[in-house]
Amino acid sequence: MTHANLLGPDPTKLPERPEAEAAMDSGTDPAEVAAEHPDFSEAWAALAERSLAADEFVAAYAFARTGYHRGLDQLRRAGWKGFGPVPWEHRPNQGFLRSVAALAKAAGRIGETDEYERCRQLLDDSDPAAAQAAGLAD
């Protein structure tokens, strides 16, 4: 049995982005989606993940950091105060959480240990399932 903080903040859920999500679902290149929807973290996360797969760690870091910052802006507009749940199961949150995971991976590959640890902690604090779902399980 878990003991949740009943006085803690409600989960933050980013708004749906049907047009951008449809573009990603149809296989549109994430670079095109990011150019059309520059605040759509899912496209930046996909670019970061593609760069990681190609061993392009500096590019991955840059793409992931962009998705992370765009997601932070949106989370704050949605009422997030820098803490509290950001549930993975809500698709609009996944772009931000995937960006954080990709940033952790890229940071780890370029030796930026402190950034890796901050990202891991943010993922765990946001939703304990996020790291594993984003491919960053220990």
Side-chain angles (χ1 to χ4, degrees), residues 7 14 16 56-57 59 70 74 80 90 96 108 118 120:
L7 300 177
L14 293 175
E16 301 285 336
E56 297 170 354
F57 305 118
R70 294 302 183 123
Q74 292 171 28
W80 190 69
H90 183 64
F96 167 72
R118 279 191 295 273
R120 280 305 310 246

Side-chain angles (χ1 to χ4, degrees), residues 26-109:
S26 72
T28 302
D29 187 306
E32 291 180 40
V33 178
E36 184 71 25
H37 306 278
D39 63 344
F40 186 56
S41 291
E42 185 177 330
W44 295 106
L47 289 167
E49 292 161 351
R50 182 166 71 188
S51 295
L52 284 167
D55 293 337
E56 297 170 354
F57 305 118
V58 173
Y61 188 95
F63 288 136
R65 185 160 289 285
T66 301
Y68 162 81
H69 281 287
R70 294 302 183 123
L72 280 180
D73 292 343
Q74 292 171 28
L75 283 167
R76 289 182 181 125
R77 282 195 300 273
W80 190 69
K81 304 293 186 208
F83 61 92
V86 180
W88 171 266
E89 73 271 358
H90 183 64
R91 178 177 176 172
N93 292 350
Q94 289 177 16
F96 167 72
L97 296 168
R98 285 173 52 202
S99 291
V100 174
L103 184 56
K105 291 175 190 176
R109 294 304 301 258

